[in-house]
DNA sequence: ATAGATGCAAATGTTTTGCAGGAAA
DNA sequence: TTTCCTGCAAAACATTTGCATCTAT
């Protein structure tokens, strides 16, 4: 079984917080990681249902919230209003294709630095940011 | 009554599309403009209810959708999952205070240009973007 | 007169909560 | 055996839709 690092991180978090290590939590973490992020609660449920029909939607919501607290996942709200979960890692932004739904991550040092400068101008202290470019990807554009 | 330009823009749009000019639409446009954007459907409803108790939530949703189509408003989805409407104008980004909820708009030519460069790298054609910095504003930060 | 708008109530879709039974510590 | 989890059903939200009624054209 892959994802040993994350599984251990979860185990450690559960132990530290006197929470219980259940089969459901393992399954959900595993399916979430295999999906490589940007997945909705409902999509997770679909994927899980085939192998483990018992696991309910409620548990998925609760477990994803737990994974967020444990620092293994983050919630994202793109423009369609549905919550998506992605694998936690810092400083990256998204290109979203509005035709096929493809999501590409990118990172830009220069933009990060500029953000800080702008925030400082208004006396803001930035804790996190979101930066998304919506358009058509190379397979979907017509021009 | 202020907002003559926008009122006329609405009137023109309604006429062009064979839609009807109702009192409700005028009121909603007026309250929306007075609020200077970033307002939720529910907040609009609150503000309107005092003067015009008859106007229902449904009509506000429908009218805001209409104003978006008419190019007078735009929908925004910040990270709390509630739809906000803002006055339509291009190329600006947001600083959002997660303590007091204050929203400041900013604009940065350099970031815009960089976005294009990054998109090109992936063969993307950018149609719109969102860029939000979340943190604490000068009144709410503690350090 | 007629197409279109309104407001209520009911439906929808997503996420959360209450609770009784079940499993891990 | 105690504490925490789970899954169901029901609630809570924000938003949309069906429909009978009303209104601007």
């Amino acid at each position: 079984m892959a994802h040993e690092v994350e599984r251990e991180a979860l185990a450690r978090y559960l132990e530290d917080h006197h929470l219980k290590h259940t089969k459901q939590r393992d399954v959900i973490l595993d399916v979430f990681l295999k999906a490589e992020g940007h997945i909705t609660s409902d999509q997770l449920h679909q994927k899980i249902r085939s192998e483990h029909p018992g696991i309910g939607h409620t548990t998925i919501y609760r477990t994803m919230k737990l994974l967020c607290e444990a620092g293994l996942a983050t919630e994202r709200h793109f423009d369609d209003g549905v919550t998506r979960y992605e694998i936690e890692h810092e400083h990256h932004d998204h290109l979203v294709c509005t035709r096929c739904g493809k999501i590409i991550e990118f990172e830009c040092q220069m933009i990060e630095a500029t953000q800080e400068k702008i925030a400082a101008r208004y006396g803001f202290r930035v804790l996190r940011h979101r930066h998304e470019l919506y358009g058509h990807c190379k397979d979907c554009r017509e021009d």
Side-chain angles (χ1 to χ4, degrees), chain A residues 86-105:
Chain A
E86 80 178 19
I87 297 171
E88 169 67 26
H89 58 127
E90 299 263 299
H91 299 304
H92 66 281
D93 303 308
H94 298 93
L95 280 158
V96 181
C97 178
T98 53
R99 288 210 170 123
C100 69
K102 191 187 299 158
I103 299 175
I104 298 172
E105 295 187 354

Side-chain angles (χ1 to χ4, degrees), chain A residues 20-70:
Chain A
K20 287 171 182 170
H21 193 178
T22 66
K23 204 186 64 189
Q24 287 91 330
R25 286 175 174 171
D26 264 356
V27 169
I28 294 170
L29 172 61
D30 202 59
V31 172
F32 166 62
L33 292 171
K34 268 213 291 268
E36 296 180 349
H38 306 124
I39 194 169
T40 66
S41 182
D42 194 59
Q43 291 171 326
L44 274 172
H45 193 224
Q46 304 287 327
K47 281 180 194 280
I48 287 167
R49 131 176 312 164
S50 49
E51 296 270 332
H52 306 268
I55 298 180
H57 223 143
T58 315
T59 304
I60 294 176
Y61 277 111
R62 285 195 278 230
T63 302
M64 290 316 297
K65 188 152 283 177
L66 178 79
L67 294 185
C68 289
E69 277 154 22

Side-chain angles (χ1 to χ4, degrees), chain A residues 112 115-120 123-130:
Chain A
E112 300 268 318
Q115 286 175 352
E116 282 303 329
K117 238 183 274 176
I118 289 164
F124 244 78
R125 178 179 182 194
V126 178
L127 298 176
R128 65 196 168 82
H129 73 269
R130 49 183 296 182

